[in-house]
Amino acid sequence: MTVKVGQILAGRAHGGAELFYDRLVPALHRRLPQVAIVRPEGTRAESLAAAGVPTYPFRFGARHLDWRTRFGIARTLRREGADLAIAWMSRASPLTPSGICPVAARLGGFYAMRNFRHCRRFNPITEGLARHVAAAGVPRDRIHVIGNFVDETDAEPLDRGAFDTPGDAPLLFTCGRLHANKGFDVFLHALTRVPGAYAWIAGDGPLEASLRALCTRLGLDGRVRFLGWRAPVNAFLRTADAFVCPSRHEPHGNIVLEAWAHRCPIVATDTHGPAELIEHGRTGWLCANEDADDMARGIGQVLADGTLAAELAEAARARYAERFSRARILDRYEEFIDIAVRNP
């Protein structure tokens, strides 16, 4: 049976869920017809349309007041003959009507479950999020855990000199929105305890000015490069000696999978997603959350032991191929869609 799926996303231009949406929807469209419903800002709508996906932009204003978007989504799902709607995160869900086709929720965070009361099936991306959904009274057979895949395109290492970085210095890479949840301040404090190491920080966000000021106060200006938002990050991962995920709060951690796929050994805090994904000492190195000393020790261990770094990278790459490859995740989404349509 061929089915058509409406994929509703109200997210901003950048973010882990948004980047995965941009990868997943065109890839699924090559297997099953998809319809994209997104915000008009940025280039997402244009990119999806260029990939052949029927794309409809809506404003996604205040979720309880934006009746124009709600009616527009309903009209689009009906006109396109959608058999299933998948609402991404808590802003899209309340604006996705349930009377036209079954509605499923794709959850990448610990959202308030009242936003998903009309959803029939749930796609959390980790077991931790599945427990959160189940705690709200959702039957376990309506919860389908499916992780993400990442951009698997090979990339050549970059010229470190182009970023004013010595070719023989230990190089750490980290990226993400410059927000308190991401813990970049802890990373900078840890870097003061790793002599000689340089760091590339890719991202933008509200804390950029304060992080730059902290970098100056800590005497790190000579060793830290703020790169702005970068996507994709494949070449940066192929260039660095290790990736650091210093997040205070990380429900999943797409970047863990990015590092795994591109054989970059990872040091990450033991929060939510990274702790669920990483087998300490085998597929990465876990350190205590918000502990700059422990983070520095983990970074130092990986940088100092080339054999350990290589073993972590290879085991992680094998784990990614086994559980999170593009083909594997697309197969699981097809299974999920089939179940959601056949047994609403």
Side-chain angles (χ1 to χ4, degrees):
M1 179 177 67
T2 299
V3 301
K4 183 179 286 188
V5 181
Q7 300 275 4
I8 300 100
L9 174 75
R12 57 183 181 270
H14 302 317
E18 289 81 3
L19 288 174
F20 183 59
Y21 180 97
D22 294 343
R23 278 193 291 267
L24 177 69
V25 174
L28 269 178
H29 188 64
R30 298 184 190 103
R31 298 186 177 203
L32 296 170
Q34 306 289 301
V35 176
I37 298 174
V38 297
R39 286 180 180 274
E41 299 90 351
T43 61
R44 175 166 294 116
E46 294 176 6
S47 297
L48 290 165
V53 181
T55 303
Y56 299 86
F58 291 99
R59 188 171 67 90
F60 287 97
R63 57 192 175 193
H64 298 301
L65 301 175
D66 189 0
W67 292 103
R68 186 184 298 273
T69 294
R70 183 177 177 83
F71 289 145
I73 292 173
R75 185 172 59 249
T76 300
L77 293 174
R78 187 177 290 111
R79 180 190 301 141
E80 287 284 348
D83 300 289
L84 175 70
I86 299 179
W88 288 57
M89 303 180 288
S90 58
R91 181 176 288 273
S93 181
L95 292 171
T96 303
S98 58
I100 295 146
C101 60
V103 179
R106 194 267 186 189
L107 292 90
F110 294 92
Y111 307 120
M113 291 301 295
R114 64 177 177 273
N115 295 313
F116 305 96
R117 282 180 289 213
H118 62 304
C119 296
R120 300 292 294 155
R121 292 190 179 271
F122 296 82
N123 164 215
I125 60 177
T126 68
E127 288 295 339
L129 291 172
R131 291 190 291 271
H132 171 70
V133 174
V138 177
R140 196 60 180 82
D141 64 354
R142 291 190 170 272
I143 303 171
H144 308 260
V145 179
I146 309 175
N148 296 347
F149 65 86
V150 301
D151 183 352
E152 298 170 357
T153 308
D154 286 334
E156 291 297 319
L158 299 167
D159 174 13
R160 296 187 183 193
F163 298 89
D164 193 21
T165 302
D168 58 352
L171 176 59
L172 305 171
F173 178 62
T174 187
C175 63
R177 184 163 165 75
L178 303 184
H179 183 281
N181 283 348
K182 297 300 184 180
F184 292 119
D185 55 325
V186 181
F187 172 62
L188 291 175
H189 281 284
L191 189 61
T192 65
R193 298 155 172 82
V194 188
Y198 280 64
W200 291 354
I201 300 176
D204 56 22
L207 295 186
E208 181 172 352
S210 62
L211 288 170
R212 286 181 178 273
L214 176 62
C215 190
T216 299
R217 289 199 302 274
L218 295 175
L220 293 171
D221 284 339
R223 295 197 282 135
V224 175
R225 307 288 177 261
F226 288 89
L227 308 181
W229 181 261
R230 301 284 178 141
V233 296
N234 307 12
F236 295 93
L237 291 165
R238 295 291 293 140
T239 307
D241 296 300
F243 178 82
V244 181
C245 177
S247 296
R248 291 181 169 89
H249 176 71
E250 192 68 64
H252 183 251
N254 281 334
I255 193 59
V256 174
L257 303 181
E258 299 264 11
W260 282 8
H262 297 287
R263 294 184 174 87
C264 186
I266 183 169
V267 177
T269 53
D270 58 358
T271 182
H272 303 301
E276 181 177 312
L277 288 168
I278 294 170
E279 183 181 349
H280 176 65
R282 176 161 177 76
T283 58
W285 196 272
L286 291 171
C287 58
N289 198 351
E290 294 196 88
D291 188 332
D293 288 331
D294 197 37
M295 187 180 296
R297 283 191 291 270
I299 292 170
Q301 184 81 12
V302 172
L303 291 179
D305 189 337
T307 299
L308 171 65
E311 289 175 349
L312 293 176
E314 288 306 314
R317 171 64 184 178
R319 183 70 54 85
Y320 174 82
E322 175 189 358
R323 299 184 185 179
F324 300 100
S325 71
R326 181 179 185 275
R328 173 66 175 144
I329 296 302
L330 289 175
D331 286 346
R332 296 194 64 192
Y333 264 100
E334 278 200 86
E335 294 166 4
F336 166 62
I337 291 166
D338 183 66
I339 292 170
V341 172
R342 289 180 182 274
N343 300 287

